[in-house]
Amino acid sequence: MRIGTRGLAAAAAIGLALGNLGRVPGISIGGRGGAISLLDLTLIPLWLLLLVTLGRGTRRWRLDAFSLAGLAFVSVAALSTVLAGPKWQLGLGEHAGVAAFLLRWVLYAGWYLLIVTDPEPDDAGRAAWGMMEKAVVAVLLFGFFQSAFLPNFAMLTEGITGLTFDYQGRRLVSTMLDPHFAGGLLMILLLMRVALEAEGIRTNRWLLLGLVLGLLLTLSRASWLALLPALLVIAAAHRFRGPLMRLGLVGGAVTLALLPGLLWFGGQFNKFEVDGSALMRFIPWLRAGILVRDNPVLGVGFNAAGPAQRAYGWETFGGASVSMDGGLLFIAVMTGLLGLTAFVWMLWAFFAAARRSWRSPSVPAERRAFALGGWAAMVAILVHSMFGNDLLIPWLMLPLWIVQGRVLATAPRAVPAAGLRSLGIVPAAGLRAPVMLLVLAGLPFLAACDPCAGVAGCRVEAQRGLTGTIVRAEGQTPRAGVAVFVGTLYTETDAAGRWVLNIPGATDTTVTVTVAAPGEPPYEIANVAVRSSRVAGEAQELGLWYDRPVVNYVAGVARGSTLIPGVNVRFTTDSALGGHVYEGSAPGGYFWLKGLADVVGPVRGTLRLQGGGLGTRNYPDVTILADHKVEPERIRGTFQVDVKAAYGGNVIHRGNGTTTPGATVRFTRTGGVPLVTSPVTTTTVSNGFFVIELEYQGKGETIGTLTITPPTGTAYTYPDFRFSTYDSTAIRYIGLVAHGHRWEYLARVARESDSTAIAWTPFTFTRTSGLAITPNTFNGMTNGQGEFFIKASVSGTGSVTGTVTFNPVGQPSFSGGSYTLSTYAGDVPPLLPVRYVAVP
């Protein structure tokens, strides 16, 4: 194996181990949120090496069935992507973003080419896979550390990665920052190791145990589900006997021993219930079926699912703004049935090669196990990808391309039919299985068809429909007889809580939906988007709504980055909002407020904290959220205590620059992070210096009004004044703040004859009447644009009248005329209109 291949694999392993933490700031793919990672950057030297060595002939690429299927898939995907622009009315930037994801998929296929074109592909594949194993072990070890000592690790990295995450607690996310993808990566290595054990090749049993524990700590139900059929593949290949069965018994005993702890851990995240997170998986599948039904040949374009969904009027959520779950179903959405056929052909060529290696007695045991493990890993990823975008994620593409490369490059040759021998394609019987896979993959599409006569598209006249389900706020059981209004249109929910309302009109619009349950106060939801449709029976699904608004608010109590356990929380809404009381406790540092509300949206009130070493603290002007949608609980933020900051400054009179002792400085919050006390007042000392101390209810920026009131004279107000928290005990100096009037102007002069600026000319200003100024006469010079400052010290308010005389060097002086200018309270000198002067 060449050193270039080994070095590239080592660099890629580092990028893989860094995962999402290795994102390159400020660089993204097509501006669509797909940030470039350090792993992506290894593609540059990879392709430089491939292009040079293939061009020189030191590497050769054999077009086998897998490669031909891959080229066919890329061709279909490219054509579909080109057509996506006019179909979804994409701008140039968005179209480039769609194409960039196809380009990334093609570039990552270079890892497959790197292995199969290497003069010694078996050594190259073994060495590259060894690097991948080291990377996954690094991900696992850091994952254990993160799970034990860095809860909510992904949320802590949001400022670095630019990503946002839901509450993950102590779930293992490692550097992937996502339990789904971390689980997929650990699952691949686990299956490859299990395949070796099944073949009688002993591996590091502690690593096996660690992979199992890591997979359990991800709490990724998709990973657990995908592991089962993959293990069955390995077990069936060994006819359910041999070392694998003994290993399975040990693994089962370990899992049973860990089961109580696993049930407790998973119970904190509702992972053993059919919760909203699980039910929401069906939404992209159903949408995918509709998209394939309407775009069956070439699909919507490679990763153009986001624009396609928006064109259908569907609200995107999670990663759906650029992709969808669904595995092979998503491949069909992007590239149609033509692309799906080519992709399944690729898979079948790989499975066939793995099967030939596994069944050949001449193949060494390690390679047989590698082929079988690769087969099982691919099966697992196909199942796993139904719940995430696995087939396009670099962290999973990289190890799979390397596995496929080694298996395909080292598998015993198939015996092709005579007519297609040169192409490496096995016709007829060799294609029957891919066709069956294609038929099975197409079954979900049938479920997306509307119950009409079966005519393609099932088109009708344009219509607008809304539908949803109303459930009880207490118990979440369906509620019948709830009235739903849109203007004068009216319907009621049935026994299942379902309602449907057709709105006249043929164009997209927004409406206000009113929900009125018997015996409950009604509530309104404004600006609900309604999409017109020509598909029979289609209505826009609004999901599950409560029969009245509810507070379902989860947040943490922390001092800095440390959660404070044992705090009892009581929130009382303002009297204008009914004075409702919501109570909860924070045994682990997080509290949950739950109850009924009268309005939808922000609810303001007073938060009281007791216990946890805090004593009793009341925080007024706290805002929580009351919602109408049934959604899984998620952390809304962290409520900070003891966040104090002190700010110092000097008060001066803006007219003469003297400091003002005894002035009152008052800050009144109007927005941003709430304060424990507002307003806050202080007084300047003998040199005009003041210190104002604020206690925040969180970290960030608070906005308000700063008012300076001198002992005599008029107060001056700074609106939209901002203070930000900071990590220090020192006083932060904010500079000078002023009161009173100033007298300062920026004037401009030009020649009357040709309108050119009177540049670089000395001038003299002499006061003639009005308010007294200091000095009474002052000199200056115009700049290159004929601009000059008129500025003097004043103590009072009023107007100043004076004359300007210009004194050019070596030339006669001339008058610039008289100016009458008033004092003002602003801090920016006004710019006077151009004055045209007669120059002798």
Side-chain angles (χ1 to χ4, degrees):
M1 186 191 75
R2 296 181 181 274
I3 297 177
T5 303
R6 186 189 300 274
L8 283 171
I14 295 173
L16 179 62
L18 290 174
N20 261 318
L21 290 180
R23 293 163 68 94
V24 180
I27 304 180
S28 63
I29 298 177
R32 305 175 70 238
I36 298 292
S37 68
L38 294 177
L39 180 59
D40 294 330
L41 296 181
T42 61
L43 298 174
I44 299 174
L46 165 69
W47 276 94
L48 287 176
L49 174 64
L50 285 173
L51 293 175
V52 170
T53 54
L54 288 173
R56 290 177 177 175
T58 54
R59 290 174 179 262
R60 296 185 180 276
W61 181 19
R62 185 177 64 87
L63 290 178
D64 56 6
F66 184 86
S67 298
L68 288 170
L71 290 174
F73 176 71
V74 171
S75 300
V76 173
L79 178 59
S80 177
T81 301
V82 169
L83 297 177
K87 179 183 290 186
W88 309 119
Q89 299 180 344
L90 303 179
L92 181 62
E94 192 170 18
H95 202 174
V98 171
F101 281 87
L102 174 59
L103 176 62
R104 185 173 71 174
W105 188 90
V106 173
L107 292 177
Y108 268 92
W111 292 106
Y112 161 78
L113 289 178
L114 186 72
I115 303 302
V116 299
T117 61
D118 194 281
E120 300 174 4
D122 187 35
D123 290 345
R126 183 187 298 110
W129 176 249
M131 297 294 183
M132 296 303 103
E133 284 193 328
K134 290 181 174 64
V136 178
V137 171
V139 170
L140 175 67
L141 293 177
F142 179 76
F144 284 142
F145 176 82
Q146 162 262 308
S147 178
F149 301 107
L150 298 173
N152 289 317
F153 176 66
M155 296 175 70
L156 298 177
T157 67
E158 290 179 354
I160 301 174
T161 63
L163 302 172
T164 56
F165 299 92
D166 292 332
Y167 170 67
Q168 295 168 343
R170 295 188 182 276
R171 296 177 69 181
L172 189 148
V173 300
S174 193
T175 56
M176 299 295 111
L177 306 184
D178 186 294
H180 178 85
F181 297 127
L185 200 58
L186 299 180
M187 179 178 63
I188 292 174
L189 180 56
L190 177 61
L191 289 169
M192 299 297 288
R193 289 290 176 132
V194 167
L196 287 169
E197 291 281 349
E199 190 65 25
I201 302 173
R202 188 180 178 88
T203 65
N204 188 323
R205 300 291 175 83
W206 288 109
L207 177 57
L208 276 179
L209 178 61
L211 289 168
V212 172
L213 289 175
L215 202 58
L216 294 176
L217 285 174
T218 64
L219 289 182
S220 170
R221 292 171 293 193
S223 301
W224 301 345
L225 177 64
L227 193 63
L228 295 178
L231 291 174
L232 286 176
V233 167
I234 299 175
H238 286 274
R239 298 183 180 180
F240 299 94
R241 61 191 181 196
L244 180 63
M245 294 302 101
R246 294 190 295 271
L247 186 65
L249 290 175
V250 175
V254 171
T255 303
L256 285 175
L258 297 174
L259 188 58
L262 180 64
L263 291 174
W264 171 82
F265 186 41
Q268 299 181 56
F269 300 88
N270 298 322
K271 289 302 176 181
F272 301 108
E273 301 176 7
V274 181
D275 58 359
S277 174
L279 293 175
M280 286 178 68
R281 301 290 189 181
F282 289 98
I283 296 176
W285 298 344
L286 295 174
R287 290 181 179 181
I290 295 172
L291 290 174
V292 175
R293 179 202 62 195
D294 292 347
N295 307 272
V297 180
L298 291 172
V300 302
F302 203 86
N303 230 29
Q309 291 182 85
R310 292 191 291 273
Y312 273 67
W314 295 332
E315 179 183 357
T316 56
F317 54 89
S321 58
V322 293
S323 66
M324 297 177 73
D325 299 343
L328 292 177
L329 188 56
F330 181 42
I331 296 295
V333 168
M334 296 189 297
T335 60
L337 297 180
L338 284 180
L340 179 63
T341 302
F343 198 87
V344 172
W345 182 13
M346 284 179 60
L347 293 176
W348 187 254
F350 167 69
F351 288 145
R355 183 172 180 267
R356 292 197 302 274
S357 290
W358 162 246
R359 299 188 65 178
S360 174
S362 63
V363 173
E366 184 273 334
R367 263 178 43 201
R368 284 163 47 88
F370 190 88
L372 181 59
W375 185 346
M378 196 68 237
V379 169
I381 289 299
L382 287 175
V383 177
H384 200 250
S385 65
M386 289 297 295
F387 308 93
N389 191 15
D390 299 37
L391 299 177
L392 299 178
I393 292 298
W395 328 120
L396 300 180
M397 282 197 294
L398 171 63
L400 290 177
W401 278 124
I402 289 175
V403 168
Q404 291 168 339
R406 185 188 180 198
V407 170
L408 285 156
T410 60
R413 294 282 180 261
V415 182
L420 297 176
R421 184 179 303 273
S422 61
L423 295 179
I425 301 174
V426 182
L431 286 178
R432 278 199 291 267
V435 170
M436 288 300 296
L437 282 176
L438 178 61
V439 171
L440 291 174
L443 289 178
F445 308 151
L446 302 179
C449 287
D450 297 321
C452 58
V455 180
C458 305
R459 303 301 184 183
V460 296
E461 292 298 321
Q463 59 184 358
R464 301 184 299 194
L466 286 177
T467 186
T469 303
I470 306 294
V471 299
R472 297 179 185 274
E474 297 174 323
Q476 297 189 19
T477 57
R479 183 165 186 182
V482 178
V484 180
F485 296 88
V486 173
T488 58
L489 301 175
Y490 162 81
T491 188
E492 286 189 0
T493 57
D494 60 17
R498 295 289 295 170
W499 61 273
V500 178
L501 198 60
N502 292 317
I503 302 170
T507 59
D508 296 353
T509 186
T510 58
V511 298
T512 297
V513 179
T514 302
V515 177
E520 305 287 357
Y523 67 84
E524 290 185 349
I525 303 299
N527 299 319
V528 176
V530 186
R531 179 179 62 86
S532 64
S533 173
R534 293 183 178 273
V535 179
E538 184 175 76
Q540 189 170 331
E541 176 62 54
L542 297 182
L544 296 177
W545 287 13
Y546 292 113
D547 58 353
R548 65 174 295 180
V550 302
V551 167
N552 193 13
Y553 189 83
V554 183
V557 179
R559 183 182 288 109
S561 60
T562 304
L563 291 171
I564 303 174
V567 179
N568 294 315
V569 181
R570 177 187 176 95
F571 182 80
T572 306
T573 65
D574 293 347
S575 58
L577 297 172
H580 293 290
V581 176
Y582 308 95
E583 294 185 294
S585 59
Y590 290 97
F591 63 88
W592 183 12
L593 303 176
K594 188 172 184 179
L596 302 178
D598 295 333
V599 296
V600 173
V603 178
R604 191 173 63 183
T606 299
L607 188 74
R608 186 189 72 186
L609 303 180
Q610 283 185 317
L614 299 177
T616 299
R617 302 191 184 190
N618 291 305
Y619 295 88
D621 198 25
V622 174
T623 299
I624 65 175
L625 184 67
D627 204 355
H628 64 292
K629 287 185 177 181
V630 181
E631 294 181 337
E633 294 81 19
R634 61 187 179 89
I635 302 298
R636 301 286 183 176
T638 303
F639 191 86
Q640 293 283 344
V641 299
D642 297 336
V643 181
K644 297 180 180 180
Y647 309 87
N650 286 93
V651 174
I652 63 171
H653 188 287
R654 60 169 52 87
N656 53 35
T658 59
T659 59
T660 306
T664 301
V665 181
R666 181 185 182 92
F667 179 76
T668 305
R669 175 189 170 273
T670 59
V673 177
L675 300 176
V676 174
T677 302
S678 177
V680 180
T681 302
T682 187
T683 304
T684 60
V685 295
S686 58
N687 61 353
F689 184 75
F690 69 89
V691 175
I692 188 167
E693 296 183 346
L694 305 180
E695 184 174 358
Y696 294 83
Q697 296 179 17
K699 288 188 175 182
E701 182 180 66
T702 190
I703 307 167
T705 300
L706 188 71
T707 303
I708 309 298
T709 305
T712 60
T714 305
Y716 182 79
T717 297
Y718 289 88
D720 197 32
F721 203 90
R722 297 167 182 260
F723 288 107
S724 297
T725 59
Y726 56 92
D727 295 327
S728 172
T729 58
I731 296 175
R732 175 166 291 186
Y733 187 66
I734 63 173
L736 303 177
V737 290
H739 66 94
H741 279 218
R742 70 190 306 176
W743 189 77
E744 179 179 354
Y745 285 87
L746 178 62
R748 296 179 293 176
V749 288
R751 287 177 171 82
E752 189 176 64
S753 58
D754 56 9
S755 299
T756 59
I758 301 175
W760 310 116
T761 302
F763 75 91
T764 300
F765 181 89
T766 303
R767 172 187 171 275
T768 57
S769 64
L771 182 69
I773 63 174
T774 303
N776 205 49
T777 298
F778 54 85
N779 301 314
M781 178 179 287
T782 63
N783 63 16
Q785 288 75 44
E787 299 172 341
F788 63 97
F789 275 105
I790 301 174
K791 177 182 179 181
S793 173
V794 295
S795 298
T797 60
S799 297
V800 178
T801 299
T803 60
V804 174
T805 302
F806 292 97
N807 309 298
V809 179
Q811 300 179 29
S813 299
F814 58 92
S815 173
S818 176
Y819 288 83
T820 299
L821 305 171
S822 299
T823 59
Y824 56 88
D827 292 317
V828 179
L831 177 62
L832 298 176
V834 177
R835 176 171 289 191
Y836 296 93
V837 178
V839 180

